[in-house]
Amino acid sequence: MTTSDEFAGLTTPLETSNSPALKFEVLARCSTTKARASKMHLPHYTAHTPMFMPVGTMGTIKGITPRQLEDLDCHVILGNTYHLGSRPGSELLDAAGGLHRFMAWNRGLLTDSGGFQMVSLLKLANITEEGVEFENPHDGKKMMLTPEMSIGLQNSIGADIMMQLDDVVSSLTTGARVEEAMWRSVRWLDRSIKAHKRPAEQNLFPIVQGGLDERLRTLSANELVKRDSPGYAIGGLSGGEAKGSFWRMVTLSTDILPTNKPRYCMGVGYAEDLVVCSALGVDMYDCVFPTRTARFGNALVRTGSLALRQGRFKDDMDPIDKDCDCSTCKNYTRAYLHTTVTKDTTGCHLVTIHNIAFQMRLMRDIRRAIVEDRFPLFIREFMQTRFGKTVPLWIVEALRSVNVDLTVADKNSSYTAVPADGDFQKEPSY
C-alpha cells in the first residue's frame, strides 16, 4: 500500500512553518471544529496528519517487519531512547549510521526521551536538578540520565523527531510537585536545545506539562512557544486521570500552541480518543495499545474490539472486519484466529497486522473527512457505530466545545446521543 492521496489537488497551504529539518503545511481545516489536515515534511519521509504512530520500543514492532509497516501505510514509528540506549547502544547505532539504517526503515522515526521509563518502570528513580538517577536493572548500579545524555542518545539514534527529557509526574499528582516538575522541564528543555548537535537533520519537540492545573498548563505552553520549536508535544496525560480533565487539558494546550506547527498528544491510541482529539486540534498520536492488545488476541473494529480467544468465535468463518483490506482480513477467518491467538506467535502476528491497519485506516478516514469538510458528519457516524445512543459524557462535552453537539440532530444527520457518566466502551453486538 502506498501513501494515501487524500490531498490530491490541494497545492496551496493555508499555513506553513519552515524549520531546518521540518516543513509543516496545513492543507485543509474543518470549518466547524479545530481539526486540520496537513503534510509534515521530515528528513526521511513526508507524513500526513492527523496520524497515529505505532510504538516500536527497541527498533521493532513485535512480529512485524519494516516492509510490512510500509505496506500498512505507516508514516512514522516511535522508538524508546532508554531501551535503544541499552541495546543496541549508541556505539553500535553510530557505527550503523543510525537506527533507520540499522533496522532498514526508510520512513519517519520519533524517539521519546527515556524519562517516562526511568520513573515508571525502574526501581529507586530519583529526580534531581541534574537529571534522573535510577538503578540499572541489569547490574543494580546507580546511573544518571540527564537532558544532555538523552539528546546525545537521540542524536546517535538519528530520529527525525526527538523529545526533550522532562520531569515526569503522574497525571494524578497535585500540589507543589506539579509546578516544580513543570518549571524543571522548561529548564531541561533549554539544556536539551543547547546539547542538540544535529538541528539541521533532527527536530527537537518540547513537552507541555502542568498536570491537570489550567494555570500551570497555560504557563508551560506559553514558555515553550517562546522557544520557537519545530513542533510541540502535549504530555503528562493518559495516566489514569478522568477523561473530563484529559480533554480540557488537550484543548487548552492546542488553543495556545502555534497553529502552523504540529501538535503531538503523547500516549493516545483508543479510536474514540483519536477522533475527539483530532477535533480539538491535535495532529500526532502514539500508543502501545493496538499492538499490545493484539498479543492478547484482541482485534480492533469500529464498534470496539473482538476478544478472539472467546469460544463464540470458534466456528465464525467471517474475517475480523469485512470492510478491512489488510492481509489478515483478506486471508483468515475469526475461527482460524481463535485457534491461534495467545497460543503461538502466528496469531499475534496476524492480529497485530490488522490492528495497525485499523489505526491507519481510521486516520486516513479522519483526514479525508477534514479535507472534504464533512468531519462533523464523520464524528456523528463514528460515535453512532461505536456507542449507539449512549455516549460517554466526556466525549459529548469535548465535542460540544468545538461546535459538534451530539445531543441535537443537525442538517446532515438525524443521530442524537444520550450522554452517560463514565468512560466506557460497548462490546460489539456479534
mmCIF file of all heavy atoms in Angstrom, residues 243-244 246-248 270-277 279-280 379-380 382-384 386-387 390-402 404-407 415 417-425:
data_model
loop_
_atom_site.group_PDB
_atom_site.id
_atom_site.type_symbol
_atom_site.label_atom_id
_atom_site.label_comp_id
_atom_site.label_asym_id
_atom_site.label_seq_id
_atom_site.Cartn_x
_atom_site.Cartn_y
_atom_site.Cartn_z
ATOM 1 N N LYS A 243 -11.429 11.460 32.181
ATOM 2 C CA LYS A 243 -11.443 11.901 30.796
ATOM 3 C C LYS A 243 -11.919 13.347 30.660
ATOM 4 O O LYS A 243 -11.518 14.056 29.731
ATOM 5 C CB LYS A 243 -12.330 10.981 29.959
ATOM 6 C CG LYS A 243 -11.696 9.633 29.657
ATOM 7 C CD LYS A 243 -10.555 9.782 28.668
ATOM 8 C CE LYS A 243 -10.134 8.441 28.111
ATOM 9 N NZ LYS A 243 -9.134 8.576 27.041
ATOM 10 N N GLY A 244 -12.776 13.781 31.575
ATOM 11 C CA GLY A 244 -13.208 15.170 31.550
ATOM 12 C C GLY A 244 -12.050 16.131 31.753
ATOM 13 O O GLY A 244 -12.002 17.210 31.145
ATOM 14 N N PHE A 246 -8.844 15.226 31.081
ATOM 15 C CA PHE A 246 -7.963 14.965 29.942
ATOM 16 C C PHE A 246 -8.268 15.881 28.772
ATOM 17 O O PHE A 246 -7.397 16.597 28.262
ATOM 18 C CB PHE A 246 -8.099 13.495 29.535
ATOM 19 C CG PHE A 246 -7.579 13.172 28.163
ATOM 20 C CD1 PHE A 246 -6.218 13.023 27.940
ATOM 21 C CD2 PHE A 246 -8.455 13.026 27.091
ATOM 22 C CE1 PHE A 246 -5.732 12.734 26.667
ATOM 23 C CE2 PHE A 246 -7.981 12.719 25.825
ATOM 24 C CZ PHE A 246 -6.621 12.582 25.604
ATOM 25 N N TRP A 247 -9.513 15.893 28.307
ATOM 26 C CA TRP A 247 -9.806 16.665 27.093
ATOM 27 C C TRP A 247 -9.662 18.161 27.333
ATOM 28 O O TRP A 247 -9.258 18.905 26.415
ATOM 29 C CB TRP A 247 -11.188 16.305 26.530
ATOM 30 C CG TRP A 247 -12.388 16.911 27.196
ATOM 31 C CD1 TRP A 247 -13.227 16.313 28.092
ATOM 32 C CD2 TRP A 247 -12.932 18.230 26.979
ATOM 33 N NE1 TRP A 247 -14.238 17.167 28.463
ATOM 34 C CE2 TRP A 247 -14.080 18.349 27.787
ATOM 35 C CE3 TRP A 247 -12.551 19.317 26.196
ATOM 36 C CZ2 TRP A 247 -14.857 19.523 27.835
ATOM 37 C CZ3 TRP A 247 -13.314 20.486 26.234
ATOM 38 C CH2 TRP A 247 -14.456 20.576 27.047
ATOM 39 N N ARG A 248 -9.950 18.610 28.534
ATOM 40 C CA ARG A 248 -9.811 20.038 28.816
ATOM 41 C C ARG A 248 -8.355 20.483 28.770
ATOM 42 O O ARG A 248 -8.036 21.588 28.307
ATOM 43 C CB ARG A 248 -10.446 20.379 30.164
ATOM 44 C CG ARG A 248 -11.973 20.346 30.133
ATOM 45 C CD ARG A 248 -12.602 20.639 31.486
ATOM 46 N NE ARG A 248 -14.053 20.779 31.374
ATOM 47 C CZ ARG A 248 -14.920 19.772 31.380
ATOM 48 N NH1 ARG A 248 -14.462 18.518 31.528
ATOM 49 N NH2 ARG A 248 -16.215 19.987 31.260
ATOM 50 N N TYR A 270 -6.681 5.021 21.747
ATOM 51 C CA TYR A 270 -8.037 4.498 21.588
ATOM 52 C C TYR A 270 -8.734 5.248 20.464
ATOM 53 O O TYR A 270 -8.585 6.472 20.316
ATOM 54 C CB TYR A 270 -8.845 4.641 22.875
ATOM 55 C CG TYR A 270 -8.329 3.820 24.026
ATOM 56 C CD1 TYR A 270 -8.184 4.373 25.298
ATOM 57 C CD2 TYR A 270 -7.985 2.481 23.859
ATOM 58 C CE1 TYR A 270 -7.712 3.622 26.370
ATOM 59 C CE2 TYR A 270 -7.512 1.723 24.920
ATOM 60 C CZ TYR A 270 -7.371 2.296 26.166
ATOM 61 O OH TYR A 270 -6.908 1.559 27.219
ATOM 62 N N ALA A 271 -9.530 4.542 19.680
ATOM 63 C CA ALA A 271 -10.124 5.132 18.480
ATOM 64 C C ALA A 271 -10.945 6.380 18.801
ATOM 65 O O ALA A 271 -10.841 7.400 18.109
ATOM 66 C CB ALA A 271 -10.977 4.092 17.761
ATOM 67 N N GLU A 272 -11.784 6.311 19.839
ATOM 68 C CA GLU A 272 -12.606 7.478 20.166
ATOM 69 C C GLU A 272 -11.753 8.666 20.598
ATOM 70 O O GLU A 272 -12.084 9.824 20.316
ATOM 71 C CB GLU A 272 -13.658 7.151 21.230
ATOM 72 C CG GLU A 272 -13.093 6.612 22.545
ATOM 73 C CD GLU A 272 -13.056 5.094 22.570
ATOM 74 O OE1 GLU A 272 -12.794 4.467 21.531
ATOM 75 O OE2 GLU A 272 -13.305 4.531 23.664
ATOM 76 N N ASP A 273 -10.632 8.395 21.268
ATOM 77 C CA ASP A 273 -9.735 9.471 21.669
ATOM 78 C C ASP A 273 -9.101 10.136 20.451
ATOM 79 O O ASP A 273 -8.906 11.356 20.418
ATOM 80 C CB ASP A 273 -8.635 8.932 22.580
ATOM 81 C CG ASP A 273 -9.158 8.426 23.922
ATOM 82 O OD1 ASP A 273 -10.389 8.404 24.094
ATOM 83 O OD2 ASP A 273 -8.340 8.047 24.773
ATOM 84 N N LEU A 274 -8.759 9.334 19.437
ATOM 85 C CA LEU A 274 -8.157 9.883 18.225
ATOM 86 C C LEU A 274 -9.139 10.793 17.500
ATOM 87 O O LEU A 274 -8.755 11.865 17.003
ATOM 88 C CB LEU A 274 -7.708 8.747 17.307
ATOM 89 C CG LEU A 274 -6.645 7.797 17.867
ATOM 90 C CD1 LEU A 274 -6.405 6.642 16.909
ATOM 91 C CD2 LEU A 274 -5.340 8.527 18.156
ATOM 92 N N VAL A 275 -10.394 10.396 17.442
ATOM 93 C CA VAL A 275 -11.407 11.220 16.774
ATOM 94 C C VAL A 275 -11.630 12.517 17.549
ATOM 95 O O VAL A 275 -11.627 13.621 16.979
ATOM 96 C CB VAL A 275 -12.722 10.431 16.621
ATOM 97 C CG1 VAL A 275 -13.836 11.331 16.086
ATOM 98 C CG2 VAL A 275 -12.521 9.236 15.696
ATOM 99 N N VAL A 276 -11.808 12.411 18.862
ATOM 100 C CA VAL A 276 -12.074 13.598 19.683
ATOM 101 C C VAL A 276 -10.887 14.549 19.674
ATOM 102 O O VAL A 276 -11.043 15.765 19.453
ATOM 103 C CB VAL A 276 -12.440 13.198 21.126
ATOM 104 C CG1 VAL A 276 -12.506 14.429 22.030
ATOM 105 C CG2 VAL A 276 -13.772 12.458 21.160
ATOM 106 N N CYS A 277 -9.687 14.020 19.886
ATOM 107 C CA CYS A 277 -8.512 14.899 19.963
ATOM 108 C C CYS A 277 -8.196 15.542 18.616
ATOM 109 O O CYS A 277 -7.696 16.667 18.568
ATOM 110 C CB CYS A 277 -7.305 14.135 20.493
ATOM 111 S SG CYS A 277 -7.422 13.759 22.259
ATOM 112 N N ALA A 279 -10.510 16.535 16.613
ATOM 113 C CA ALA A 279 -11.457 17.655 16.619
ATOM 114 C C ALA A 279 -10.951 18.802 17.486
ATOM 115 O O ALA A 279 -11.279 19.971 17.239
ATOM 116 C CB ALA A 279 -12.824 17.181 17.103
ATOM 117 N N LEU A 280 -10.137 18.477 18.482
ATOM 118 C CA LEU A 280 -9.580 19.502 19.373
ATOM 119 C C LEU A 280 -8.291 20.115 18.830
ATOM 120 O O LEU A 280 -7.694 20.973 19.482
ATOM 121 C CB LEU A 280 -9.327 18.911 20.766
ATOM 122 C CG LEU A 280 -10.546 18.355 21.506
ATOM 123 C CD1 LEU A 280 -10.148 17.785 22.861
ATOM 124 C CD2 LEU A 280 -11.630 19.416 21.668
ATOM 125 N N ILE A 379 -17.800 12.383 12.562
ATOM 126 C CA ILE A 379 -17.825 12.200 14.013
ATOM 127 C C ILE A 379 -19.132 11.543 14.441
ATOM 128 O O ILE A 379 -19.148 10.575 15.223
ATOM 129 C CB ILE A 379 -17.637 13.549 14.733
ATOM 130 C CG1 ILE A 379 -16.226 14.096 14.522
ATOM 131 C CG2 ILE A 379 -17.933 13.399 16.229
ATOM 132 C CD1 ILE A 379 -16.039 15.524 15.032
ATOM 133 N N ARG A 380 -20.246 12.055 13.948
ATOM 134 C CA ARG A 380 -21.550 11.511 14.322
ATOM 135 C C ARG A 380 -21.681 10.045 13.902
ATOM 136 O O ARG A 380 -22.150 9.191 14.671
ATOM 137 C CB ARG A 380 -22.667 12.346 13.690
ATOM 138 C CG ARG A 380 -22.831 13.722 14.328
ATOM 139 C CD ARG A 380 -23.893 14.553 13.622
ATOM 140 N NE ARG A 380 -24.075 15.832 14.283
ATOM 141 C CZ ARG A 380 -24.877 16.046 15.328
ATOM 142 N NH1 ARG A 380 -25.607 15.034 15.806
ATOM 143 N NH2 ARG A 380 -24.971 17.235 15.884
ATOM 144 N N PHE A 382 -19.249 7.948 13.334
ATOM 145 C CA PHE A 382 -18.313 7.142 14.127
ATOM 146 C C PHE A 382 -18.892 6.850 15.505
ATOM 147 O O PHE A 382 -18.861 5.699 15.970
ATOM 148 C CB PHE A 382 -16.972 7.861 14.247
ATOM 149 C CG PHE A 382 -16.000 7.160 15.150
ATOM 150 C CD1 PHE A 382 -15.151 6.190 14.650
ATOM 151 C CD2 PHE A 382 -15.959 7.434 16.520
ATOM 152 C CE1 PHE A 382 -14.272 5.510 15.484
ATOM 153 C CE2 PHE A 382 -15.082 6.764 17.360
ATOM 154 C CZ PHE A 382 -14.237 5.802 16.833
ATOM 155 N N MET A 383 -19.395 7.873 16.189
ATOM 156 C CA MET A 383 -19.904 7.686 17.546
ATOM 157 C C MET A 383 -21.157 6.810 17.553
ATOM 158 O O MET A 383 -21.362 6.013 18.480
ATOM 159 C CB MET A 383 -20.191 9.040 18.199
ATOM 160 C CG MET A 383 -18.955 9.889 18.417
ATOM 161 S SD MET A 383 -17.688 9.067 19.435
ATOM 162 C CE MET A 383 -16.303 10.203 19.234
ATOM 163 N N GLN A 384 -21.985 6.916 16.532
ATOM 164 C CA GLN A 384 -23.160 6.051 16.448
ATOM 165 C C GLN A 384 -22.748 4.593 16.308
ATOM 166 O O GLN A 384 -23.311 3.711 16.962
ATOM 167 C CB GLN A 384 -24.039 6.471 15.270
ATOM 168 C CG GLN A 384 -25.324 5.668 15.169
ATOM 169 C CD GLN A 384 -26.247 6.178 14.074
ATOM 170 O OE1 GLN A 384 -25.837 6.936 13.189
ATOM 171 N NE2 GLN A 384 -27.507 5.778 14.129
ATOM 172 N N ARG A 386 -19.818 3.338 17.193
ATOM 173 C CA ARG A 386 -19.011 2.963 18.358
ATOM 174 C C ARG A 386 -19.873 2.695 19.591
ATOM 175 O O ARG A 386 -19.688 1.718 20.300
ATOM 176 C CB ARG A 386 -18.016 4.088 18.657
ATOM 177 C CG ARG A 386 -16.937 3.743 19.678
ATOM 178 C CD ARG A 386 -15.863 2.980 19.039
ATOM 179 N NE ARG A 386 -14.640 2.882 19.802
ATOM 180 C CZ ARG A 386 -13.649 2.105 19.416
ATOM 181 N NH1 ARG A 386 -13.757 1.403 18.306
ATOM 182 N NH2 ARG A 386 -12.540 2.031 20.117
ATOM 183 N N PHE A 387 -20.813 3.607 19.845
ATOM 184 C CA PHE A 387 -21.524 3.573 21.125
ATOM 185 C C PHE A 387 -23.033 3.414 21.012
ATOM 186 O O PHE A 387 -23.696 3.147 22.022
ATOM 187 C CB PHE A 387 -21.235 4.867 21.900
ATOM 188 C CG PHE A 387 -19.800 5.066 22.266
ATOM 189 C CD1 PHE A 387 -19.025 6.011 21.602
ATOM 190 C CD2 PHE A 387 -19.204 4.313 23.262
ATOM 191 C CE1 PHE A 387 -17.693 6.200 21.939
ATOM 192 C CE2 PHE A 387 -17.881 4.493 23.604
ATOM 193 C CZ PHE A 387 -17.110 5.444 22.935
ATOM 194 N N THR A 390 -25.966 5.784 23.523
ATOM 195 C CA THR A 390 -25.393 6.238 24.796
ATOM 196 C C THR A 390 -23.898 6.476 24.637
ATOM 197 O O THR A 390 -23.130 5.537 24.423
ATOM 198 C CB THR A 390 -25.647 5.197 25.901
ATOM 199 O OG1 THR A 390 -27.047 4.915 25.966
ATOM 200 C CG2 THR A 390 -25.182 5.724 27.244
ATOM 201 N N VAL A 391 -23.504 7.726 24.745
ATOM 202 C CA VAL A 391 -22.112 8.127 24.522
ATOM 203 C C VAL A 391 -21.547 8.686 25.821
ATOM 204 O O VAL A 391 -22.250 9.415 26.543
ATOM 205 C CB VAL A 391 -22.032 9.186 23.399
ATOM 206 C CG1 VAL A 391 -20.603 9.697 23.216
ATOM 207 C CG2 VAL A 391 -22.557 8.596 22.084
ATOM 208 N N PRO A 392 -20.286 8.362 26.151
ATOM 209 C CA PRO A 392 -19.696 8.907 27.380
ATOM 210 C C PRO A 392 -19.807 10.430 27.450
ATOM 211 O O PRO A 392 -19.599 11.131 26.450
ATOM 212 C CB PRO A 392 -18.236 8.457 27.292
ATOM 213 C CG PRO A 392 -18.288 7.200 26.492
ATOM 214 C CD PRO A 392 -19.364 7.425 25.477
ATOM 215 N N LEU A 393 -20.126 10.931 28.628
ATOM 216 C CA LEU A 393 -20.344 12.364 28.825
ATOM 217 C C LEU A 393 -19.140 13.182 28.393
ATOM 218 O O LEU A 393 -19.292 14.258 27.795
ATOM 219 C CB LEU A 393 -20.675 12.626 30.300
ATOM 220 C CG LEU A 393 -20.843 14.092 30.712
ATOM 221 C CD1 LEU A 393 -22.018 14.724 29.980
ATOM 222 C CD2 LEU A 393 -21.038 14.193 32.230
ATOM 223 N N TRP A 394 -17.929 12.692 28.684
ATOM 224 C CA TRP A 394 -16.740 13.484 28.355
ATOM 225 C C TRP A 394 -16.634 13.722 26.856
ATOM 226 O O TRP A 394 -16.202 14.808 26.423
ATOM 227 C CB TRP A 394 -15.465 12.825 28.890
ATOM 228 C CG TRP A 394 -14.967 11.642 28.102
ATOM 229 C CD1 TRP A 394 -15.285 10.338 28.288
ATOM 230 C CD2 TRP A 394 -14.047 11.679 27.006
ATOM 231 N NE1 TRP A 394 -14.630 9.554 27.364
ATOM 232 C CE2 TRP A 394 -13.857 10.353 26.580
ATOM 233 C CE3 TRP A 394 -13.355 12.696 26.352
ATOM 234 C CZ2 TRP A 394 -13.012 10.013 25.515
ATOM 235 C CZ3 TRP A 394 -12.513 12.377 25.296
ATOM 236 C CH2 TRP A 394 -12.346 11.039 24.885
ATOM 237 N N ILE A 395 -17.032 12.726 26.049
ATOM 238 C CA ILE A 395 -16.996 12.892 24.592
ATOM 239 C C ILE A 395 -18.013 13.937 24.160
ATOM 240 O O ILE A 395 -17.723 14.815 23.337
ATOM 241 C CB ILE A 395 -17.255 11.543 23.898
ATOM 242 C CG1 ILE A 395 -16.078 10.588 24.141
ATOM 243 C CG2 ILE A 395 -17.484 11.734 22.405
ATOM 244 C CD1 ILE A 395 -16.268 9.203 23.545
ATOM 245 N N VAL A 396 -19.220 13.862 24.717
ATOM 246 C CA VAL A 396 -20.255 14.837 24.385
ATOM 247 C C VAL A 396 -19.785 16.246 24.726
ATOM 248 O O VAL A 396 -19.931 17.184 23.925
ATOM 249 C CB VAL A 396 -21.566 14.493 25.116
ATOM 250 C CG1 VAL A 396 -22.608 15.594 24.911
ATOM 251 C CG2 VAL A 396 -22.113 13.150 24.638
ATOM 252 N N GLU A 397 -19.204 16.418 25.914
ATOM 253 C CA GLU A 397 -18.758 17.747 26.337
ATOM 254 C C GLU A 397 -17.583 18.244 25.490
ATOM 255 O O GLU A 397 -17.542 19.427 25.107
ATOM 256 C CB GLU A 397 -18.365 17.706 27.808
ATOM 257 C CG GLU A 397 -19.546 17.505 28.746
ATOM 258 C CD GLU A 397 -19.131 17.439 30.204
ATOM 259 O OE1 GLU A 397 -17.960 17.132 30.495
ATOM 260 O OE2 GLU A 397 -20.002 17.694 31.063
ATOM 261 N N ALA A 398 -16.635 17.355 25.203
ATOM 262 C CA ALA A 398 -15.479 17.759 24.412
ATOM 263 C C ALA A 398 -15.902 18.207 23.015
ATOM 264 O O ALA A 398 -15.449 19.243 22.509
ATOM 265 C CB ALA A 398 -14.481 16.605 24.318
ATOM 266 N N LEU A 399 -16.775 17.432 22.389
ATOM 267 C CA LEU A 399 -17.207 17.775 21.034
ATOM 268 C C LEU A 399 -18.093 19.016 21.024
ATOM 269 O O LEU A 399 -18.031 19.831 20.100
ATOM 270 C CB LEU A 399 -17.928 16.586 20.408
ATOM 271 C CG LEU A 399 -17.038 15.371 20.141
ATOM 272 C CD1 LEU A 399 -17.870 14.179 19.674
ATOM 273 C CD2 LEU A 399 -15.955 15.697 19.103
ATOM 274 N N ARG A 400 -18.894 19.182 22.056
ATOM 275 C CA ARG A 400 -19.722 20.391 22.143
ATOM 276 C C ARG A 400 -18.842 21.644 22.219
ATOM 277 O O ARG A 400 -19.209 22.703 21.692
ATOM 278 C CB ARG A 400 -20.649 20.305 23.359
ATOM 279 C CG ARG A 400 -21.661 21.450 23.439
ATOM 280 C CD ARG A 400 -22.504 21.316 24.683
ATOM 281 N NE ARG A 400 -23.470 20.235 24.570
ATOM 282 C CZ ARG A 400 -23.809 19.426 25.566
ATOM 283 N NH1 ARG A 400 -23.233 19.558 26.755
ATOM 284 N NH2 ARG A 400 -24.700 18.479 25.379
ATOM 285 N N SER A 401 -17.680 21.520 22.827
ATOM 286 C CA SER A 401 -16.782 22.679 22.950
ATOM 287 C C SER A 401 -16.241 23.136 21.598
ATOM 288 O O SER A 401 -15.753 24.259 21.467
ATOM 289 C CB SER A 401 -15.617 22.343 23.891
ATOM 290 O OG SER A 401 -14.641 21.522 23.251
ATOM 291 N N VAL A 402 -16.318 22.245 20.586
ATOM 292 C CA VAL A 402 -15.884 22.616 19.236
ATOM 293 C C VAL A 402 -17.062 22.532 18.259
ATOM 294 O O VAL A 402 -16.914 22.186 17.087
ATOM 295 C CB VAL A 402 -14.698 21.750 18.757
ATOM 296 C CG1 VAL A 402 -13.413 22.160 19.454
ATOM 297 C CG2 VAL A 402 -14.964 20.258 18.953
ATOM 298 N N VAL A 404 -19.806 20.659 17.906
ATOM 299 C CA VAL A 404 -20.488 19.448 17.473
ATOM 300 C C VAL A 404 -21.285 18.927 18.673
ATOM 301 O O VAL A 404 -20.711 18.360 19.602
ATOM 302 C CB VAL A 404 -19.500 18.373 16.974
ATOM 303 C CG1 VAL A 404 -20.254 17.101 16.592
ATOM 304 C CG2 VAL A 404 -18.701 18.885 15.787
ATOM 305 N N ASP A 405 -22.583 19.135 18.665
ATOM 306 C CA ASP A 405 -23.442 18.744 19.784
ATOM 307 C C ASP A 405 -24.154 17.444 19.431
ATOM 308 O O ASP A 405 -25.125 17.435 18.660
ATOM 309 C CB ASP A 405 -24.458 19.840 20.083
ATOM 310 C CG ASP A 405 -25.219 19.597 21.383
ATOM 311 O OD1 ASP A 405 -25.161 18.462 21.906
ATOM 312 O OD2 ASP A 405 -25.879 20.532 21.866
ATOM 313 N N LEU A 406 -23.676 16.348 19.988
ATOM 314 C CA LEU A 406 -24.240 15.039 19.666
ATOM 315 C C LEU A 406 -25.643 14.845 20.216
ATOM 316 O O LEU A 406 -26.358 13.934 19.788
ATOM 317 C CB LEU A 406 -23.336 13.924 20.211
ATOM 318 C CG LEU A 406 -21.924 13.820 19.629
ATOM 319 C CD1 LEU A 406 -21.195 12.640 20.269
ATOM 320 C CD2 LEU A 406 -21.951 13.681 18.120
ATOM 321 N N THR A 407 -26.055 15.692 21.146
ATOM 322 C CA THR A 407 -27.387 15.534 21.731
ATOM 323 C C THR A 407 -28.482 16.163 20.873
ATOM 324 O O THR A 407 -29.668 16.035 21.181
ATOM 325 C CB THR A 407 -27.447 16.150 23.143
ATOM 326 O OG1 THR A 407 -27.296 17.580 23.050
ATOM 327 C CG2 THR A 407 -26.365 15.567 24.042
ATOM 328 N N TYR A 415 -28.937 11.575 13.815
ATOM 329 C CA TYR A 415 -28.426 10.892 15.002
ATOM 330 C C TYR A 415 -28.357 11.834 16.195
ATOM 331 O O TYR A 415 -27.873 12.980 16.093
ATOM 332 C CB TYR A 415 -27.036 10.337 14.719
ATOM 333 C CG TYR A 415 -26.316 9.804 15.946
ATOM 334 C CD1 TYR A 415 -26.738 8.647 16.582
ATOM 335 C CD2 TYR A 415 -25.208 10.470 16.471
ATOM 336 C CE1 TYR A 415 -26.094 8.158 17.695
ATOM 337 C CE2 TYR A 415 -24.545 9.994 17.589
ATOM 338 C CZ TYR A 415 -24.986 8.831 18.201
ATOM 339 O OH TYR A 415 -24.341 8.362 19.306
ATOM 340 N N ALA A 417 -27.438 11.569 20.595
ATOM 341 C CA ALA A 417 -26.876 10.714 21.636
ATOM 342 C C ALA A 417 -27.349 11.155 23.009
ATOM 343 O O ALA A 417 -27.655 12.336 23.232
ATOM 344 C CB ALA A 417 -25.357 10.738 21.576
ATOM 345 N N VAL A 418 -27.380 10.199 23.917
ATOM 346 C CA VAL A 418 -27.673 10.478 25.317
ATOM 347 C C VAL A 418 -26.362 10.359 26.088
ATOM 348 O O VAL A 418 -25.728 9.294 26.075
ATOM 349 C CB VAL A 418 -28.706 9.482 25.878
ATOM 350 C CG1 VAL A 418 -28.938 9.738 27.366
ATOM 351 C CG2 VAL A 418 -29.997 9.569 25.098
ATOM 352 N N PRO A 419 -25.893 11.430 26.744
ATOM 353 C CA PRO A 419 -24.628 11.339 27.484
ATOM 354 C C PRO A 419 -24.768 10.500 28.737
ATOM 355 O O PRO A 419 -25.816 10.498 29.398
ATOM 356 C CB PRO A 419 -24.324 12.801 27.835
ATOM 357 C CG PRO A 419 -25.640 13.495 27.795
ATOM 358 C CD PRO A 419 -26.478 12.776 26.785
ATOM 359 N N ALA A 420 -23.723 9.756 29.051
ATOM 360 C CA ALA A 420 -23.705 8.919 30.253
ATOM 361 C C ALA A 420 -22.382 9.100 30.968
ATOM 362 O O ALA A 420 -21.327 9.192 30.330
ATOM 363 C CB ALA A 420 -23.906 7.453 29.881
ATOM 364 N N ASP A 421 -22.433 9.166 32.283
ATOM 365 C CA ASP A 421 -21.216 9.301 33.081
ATOM 366 C C ASP A 421 -20.331 8.076 32.902
ATOM 367 O O ASP A 421 -20.817 6.963 32.693
ATOM 368 C CB ASP A 421 -21.555 9.474 34.561
ATOM 369 C CG ASP A 421 -22.091 10.857 34.865
ATOM 370 O OD1 ASP A 421 -21.725 11.797 34.153
ATOM 371 O OD2 ASP A 421 -22.896 10.985 35.808
ATOM 372 N N GLY A 422 -19.034 8.301 33.000
ATOM 373 C CA GLY A 422 -18.085 7.200 32.961
ATOM 374 C C GLY A 422 -17.439 7.065 31.607
ATOM 375 O O GLY A 422 -17.993 7.467 30.579
ATOM 376 N N ASP A 423 -16.252 6.491 31.607
ATOM 377 C CA ASP A 423 -15.525 6.221 30.362
ATOM 378 C C ASP A 423 -15.719 4.740 30.079
ATOM 379 O O ASP A 423 -15.178 3.886 30.764
ATOM 380 C CB ASP A 423 -14.047 6.554 30.517
ATOM 381 C CG ASP A 423 -13.250 6.178 29.295
ATOM 382 O OD1 ASP A 423 -13.814 6.223 28.199
ATOM 383 O OD2 ASP A 423 -12.059 5.819 29.466
ATOM 384 N N PHE A 424 -16.492 4.426 29.072
ATOM 385 C CA PHE A 424 -16.795 3.022 28.810
ATOM 386 C C PHE A 424 -16.733 2.746 27.333
ATOM 387 O O PHE A 424 -16.737 3.641 26.497
ATOM 388 C CB PHE A 424 -18.185 2.662 29.344
ATOM 389 C CG PHE A 424 -19.298 3.440 28.670
ATOM 390 C CD1 PHE A 424 -19.915 2.968 27.529
ATOM 391 C CD2 PHE A 424 -19.719 4.663 29.190
ATOM 392 C CE1 PHE A 424 -20.919 3.690 26.912
ATOM 393 C CE2 PHE A 424 -20.719 5.381 28.579
ATOM 394 C CZ PHE A 424 -21.326 4.900 27.434
ATOM 395 N N GLN A 425 -16.654 1.482 27.004
ATOM 396 C CA GLN A 425 -16.617 1.049 25.618
ATOM 397 C C GLN A 425 -17.574 -0.118 25.481
ATOM 398 O O GLN A 425 -17.425 -1.134 26.156
ATOM 399 C CB GLN A 425 -15.197 0.636 25.231
ATOM 400 C CG GLN A 425 -15.053 0.278 23.761
ATOM 401 C CD GLN A 425 -13.610 -0.102 23.448
ATOM 402 O OE1 GLN A 425 -13.188 -1.217 23.707
ATOM 403 N NE2 GLN A 425 -12.852 0.847 22.926
#
